[in-house]
Amino acid sequence: MTTASVDGRIEPAADQDRKGPGRPRSARVDEAIVEAVFDLLSAGQSADAISIEAVAAKAGVGKATIYRRWPNKEALLIDAVTMMKGQLPEPRGESVREDLVMLVSGMGNKRMERYGRVTACLLPELVKSEEMHRVYQGVIEPRRDVMRQVLRRGVETGELRADLDVELALLMLSGPNIVQNMLNWNPMVPEERFAEKLVDAVLRGLAA
Amino acid sequence: MTTASVDGRIEPAADQDRKGPGRPRSARVDEAIVEAVFDLLSAGQSADAISIEAVAAKAGVGKATIYRRWPNKEALLIDAVTMMKGQLPEPRGESVREDLVMLVSGMGNKRMERYGRVTACLLPELVKSEEMHRVYQGVIEPRRDVMRQVLRRGVETGELRADLDVELALLMLSGPNIVQNMLNWNPMVPEERFAEKLVDAVLRGLAA
């Protein structure tokens, strides 16, 4: 378990500086800076409003430390988005329902909730900047692909309808969750067992 | 057809200034200013980044004209969000499926698509400002309520399951659409007949 705490300001020599076991100190500094970006974004700062000064202050480093790593704010934001990636979930492959519940729950965990807010605050940037948009796609597409494969498997095994529209199904399973997380000022459906409830309702339908 | 004219902030002379039939000139000026806000937001400007100068230039009015109507940018943004409201849709009340298709299509029309982008660019502001958030809720909640009533009617008539979770159903019908519109850089499911496809898939479920 790593933490992003950074004590004090980092001196120029710090890049080379290894303190005992663990990752190089510079990696911890990178992480603290990126966490500071996430903190500012998830508190409702838009990408426009974020300054390198504010990131430096939040991360407890000097501005020069940031500029040594990233030429400008855009480059920093792009790296931050890339770091939202984390590990891809691995479905167990036994039951489609179970795998979908796992994937939907994963979208709703605390980490993802925070990223939901981060994404919300990045949206103007995603609308505006093609590069940021492309980077963000690179983060979400592999995750969407995991769910796509589970859905295709369900069609093959007969667990899902033979005429399933996979892309629509993907939207039906992710849309409600994204809306709950991103617009989470109004948790319309209580969190508890949300993933199971959603998956079951999507699988069996609303019609009598 | 009424417009959301802003009473009380109208400059005395303009109120009297009617040019032939139609709405007072001041209402048209208000509208041009609010449209300018929407243009800037839907082009990817965040609320932070928008300046009264930019709004004035886009609307073709002087800054003083804006400041005569709104004391500051926040007040202008709040009025703009209120004006997104428009008329509430009126379901025909014959078939639940038909009414849901109508409501979902309404969410996906050109006007709403634009508001999807506007909302996307307002999200940081909605995360940050409780007042803006409350105003936005006031805009969307009456629309959500129309769909809620259709769903409840469906339970009563037996068109929908007796044990329907209405709030979850609401999310299932609106979430995919919101995600398509707001993150519309990637129209995952082609537009054509999207509403019908979504409603039918939600009603009958994905399970074999």
Side-chain angles (χ1 to χ4, degrees):
Chain A
M1 185 69 196
T2 59
T3 47
S5 78
V6 170
D7 15 67
R9 305 208 153 208
I10 313 293
E11 300 307 316
D15 264 353
Q16 270 47 282
D17 197 4
R18 264 181 175 279
K19 293 225 166 171
R23 285 159 314 117
R25 185 164 174 188
S26 62
R28 280 179 286 133
V29 173
D30 284 354
E31 227 178 294
I33 293 168
V34 167
E35 281 298 315
V37 172
F38 288 150
D39 281 348
L40 293 170
L41 283 170
S42 65
Q45 295 259 21
S46 65
D48 287 314
I50 287 177
S51 66
I52 293 290
E53 282 85 349
V55 175
K58 191 104 197 163
V61 301
K63 277 172 63 178
T65 306
I66 298 183
Y67 280 120
R68 228 176 293 127
R69 291 162 158 82
W70 292 278
N72 51 44
K73 186 171 79 175
E74 285 61 44
L76 171 56
L77 284 170
I78 282 171
D79 267 11
V81 170
T82 310
M83 283 161 118
M84 283 168 63
K85 222 180 283 198
Q87 272 198 297
L88 271 188
E90 288 179 29
R92 292 178 54 193
E94 286 169 20
S95 133
V96 165
R97 176 187 175 277
E98 187 191 279
D99 287 349
L100 292 176
V101 169
M102 187 273 276
L103 294 173
V104 173
S105 316
M107 292 174 63
N109 66 21
K110 283 289 160 210
R111 186 168 159 276
M112 282 299 137
E113 220 174 83
R114 181 161 185 244
Y115 288 158
R117 283 168 67 93
V118 168
T119 305
C121 293
L122 273 177
L123 272 180
E125 203 60 25
L126 294 173
V127 168
K128 202 164 40 183
S129 152
E130 273 186 36
E131 184 177 10
M132 184 69 100
H133 179 194
R134 195 178 42 68
V135 171
Y136 187 69
Q137 286 283 24
V139 172
I140 60 168
E141 207 46 44
R143 294 169 184 283
R144 288 168 46 81
D145 220 44
V146 171
M147 193 180 272
R148 207 174 263 132
Q149 279 160 26
V150 170
L151 291 167
R152 286 200 191 117
R153 193 184 86 222
V155 174
E156 276 162 33
T157 61
E159 286 163 277
L160 302 180
R161 316 173 67 92
D163 63 350
L164 189 79
D165 181 333
V166 172
E167 296 307 303
L168 183 59
L170 206 54
L171 259 184
M172 288 166 70
L173 288 158
S174 56
N177 227 330
I178 292 174
V179 168
Q180 281 252 113
N181 281 353
M182 207 151 66
L183 315 184
N184 73 348
W185 55 66
N186 181 24
M188 302 131 183
V189 176
E191 302 282 309
E192 201 202 345
R193 294 186 52 245
F194 175 78
E196 266 177 88
K197 283 184 200 163
L198 175 65
V199 170
D200 284 337
V202 167
L203 287 180
R204 79 181 172 221
L206 307 183
Chain B
M1 184 68 190
T2 59
T3 47
S5 68
V6 182
D7 314 302
R9 285 182 215 125
I10 311 291
E11 57 180 306
D15 257 352
Q16 277 36 286
D17 185 13
R18 269 179 173 277
K19 294 223 165 176
R23 286 158 308 120
R25 182 168 175 183
S26 61
R28 279 179 286 133
V29 173
D30 286 354
E31 228 178 291
I33 293 168
V34 167
E35 281 298 313
V37 172
F38 288 150
D39 282 347
L40 293 170
L41 283 170
S42 65
Q45 296 259 20
S46 66
D48 287 313
I50 287 177
S51 67
I52 294 289
E53 282 84 349
V55 175
K58 192 103 195 163
V61 302
K63 278 172 63 177
T65 307
I66 299 182
Y67 280 120
R68 231 175 292 128
R69 292 163 158 83
W70 292 279
N72 52 44
K73 186 171 79 175
E74 286 61 44
L76 172 56
L77 284 170
I78 282 171
D79 268 11
V81 170
T82 309
M83 284 174 168
M84 282 169 63
K85 222 181 282 198
Q87 272 196 299
L88 271 188
E90 288 178 31
R92 292 178 55 191
E94 286 169 20
S95 133
V96 165
R97 176 187 176 276
E98 188 190 280
D99 286 350
L100 292 177
V101 169
M102 187 272 276
L103 294 173
V104 173
S105 317
M107 292 174 65
N109 66 21
K110 283 290 158 210
R111 188 168 158 276
M112 281 301 135
E113 220 174 83
R114 182 163 184 240
Y115 288 158
R117 283 169 68 93
V118 168
T119 305
C121 293
L122 273 176
L123 273 179
E125 204 59 25
L126 294 172
V127 167
K128 200 164 44 184
S129 152
E130 273 186 37
E131 185 178 11
M132 185 68 100
H133 179 193
R134 195 178 41 69
V135 170
Y136 187 70
Q137 287 282 22
V139 172
I140 59 167
E141 205 47 46
R143 287 162 193 288
R144 288 167 47 81
D145 220 44
V146 171
M147 194 181 271
R148 208 175 261 131
Q149 279 160 28
V150 170
L151 291 168
R152 286 199 191 116
R153 194 183 86 222
V155 175
E156 276 162 34
T157 61
E159 286 164 276
L160 302 181
R161 316 172 67 93
D163 63 351
L164 189 78
D165 182 333
V166 172
E167 297 307 304
L168 182 60
L170 206 54
L171 259 184
M172 289 166 68
L173 287 159
S174 57
N177 228 329
I178 293 174
V179 168
Q180 282 252 112
N181 282 352
M182 209 152 63
L183 316 184
N184 73 350
W185 55 66
N186 181 23
M188 302 131 182
V189 176
E191 301 282 308
E192 202 202 344
R193 295 186 52 244
F194 175 78
E196 267 178 86
K197 284 183 201 162
L198 175 65
V199 169
D200 284 337
V202 166
L203 288 179
R204 79 182 171 218
L206 307 184

